[in-house]
């Protein structure tokens, strides 16, 4: 299993997700461009020294990412999904993907992933922070 961030906007969330992945023994995929200059020092603030304990794979585009991960299912966490993450049947080689904090993912990415899962929330709530969402779903998936 791996985790993936699609064009992240916030360095702090990237650092938090890298730290989560390091603690769980997972690789991190980042689809660029990021909404900030990708700088290890910025990310280190929230990722701390955990950055050295995980492999970070950077991709220039979603197409590049998809091409290099043909043998894995891409599972998108989305507020537009119909299926709850608690009823989804995860597999060992799945990649859990979160979208941009500001905009999620475009329709072409929604259409290209293998599955989408939803975290059920109280009505009128937009979304949960991507790092927290990923941690919730990853806990269930593992």
């Amino acid at each position: 299993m791996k985790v993936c961030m699609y064009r992240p906007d916030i360095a702090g969330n990237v650092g938090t997700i890298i730290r989560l992945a390091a603690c769980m023994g997972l690789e991190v995929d980042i689809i660029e461009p990021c909404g900030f200059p990708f700088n290890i020092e910025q990310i280190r603030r929230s990722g701390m020294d955990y950055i050295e304990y995980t492999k970070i794979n950077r991709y220039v585009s979603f197409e590049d990412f998809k091409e290099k991960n043909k043998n894995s299912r891409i599972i998108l966490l989305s507020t537009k999904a119909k299926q709850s993450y608690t009823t989804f049947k995860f597999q060992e080689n799945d990649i859990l993907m979160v979208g941009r904090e500001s905009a999620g993912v475009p329709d072409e990415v929604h259409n290209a992933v293998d599955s989408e899962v939803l975290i059920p929330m109280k009505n009128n709530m937009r979304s949960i922070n991507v790092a927290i969402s990923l941690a919730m779903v990853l806990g269930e998936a593992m």
Side-chain angles (χ1 to χ4, degrees), residues 1-5 17 21 25-30 54-59 65 68-70 72-75 77 90-98 134 138 141-142:
M1 191 163 291
K2 293 196 297 185
V3 296
C4 175
M5 292 171 276
I17 291 170
L26 305 176
E27 292 182 20
V28 176
D29 291 344
I30 299 174
T54 190
K55 182 176 180 192
I56 301 170
N57 307 303
R58 295 169 65 186
Y59 299 91
F65 162 77
K68 291 180 178 144
N69 287 284
K70 287 181 182 178
S72 295
R73 295 189 312 173
I74 302 168
I75 313 302
L77 283 62
F90 292 97
Q91 297 176 4
E92 198 172 306
N93 69 334
D94 286 344
I95 300 171
L96 303 181
M97 176 189 279
V98 294
L134 188 57
L138 180 60
M142 293 183 80

Side-chain angles (χ1 to χ4, degrees), residues 66-112:
K66 188 133 169 92
E67 175 66 28
K68 291 180 178 144
N69 287 284
K70 287 181 182 178
N71 296 324
S72 295
R73 295 189 312 173
I74 302 168
I75 313 302
L76 178 65
L77 283 62
S78 174
T79 58
K80 297 177 182 178
K82 303 289 186 234
Q83 183 171 7
S84 170
Y85 77 101
T86 60
T87 60
F88 187 79
K89 300 296 181 205
F90 292 97
Q91 297 176 4
E92 198 172 306
N93 69 334
D94 286 344
I95 300 171
L96 303 181
M97 176 189 279
V98 294
R100 297 182 76 168
E101 295 90 341
S102 63
V105 300
D107 288 341
E108 55 267 18
V109 172
H110 275 283
N111 297 332

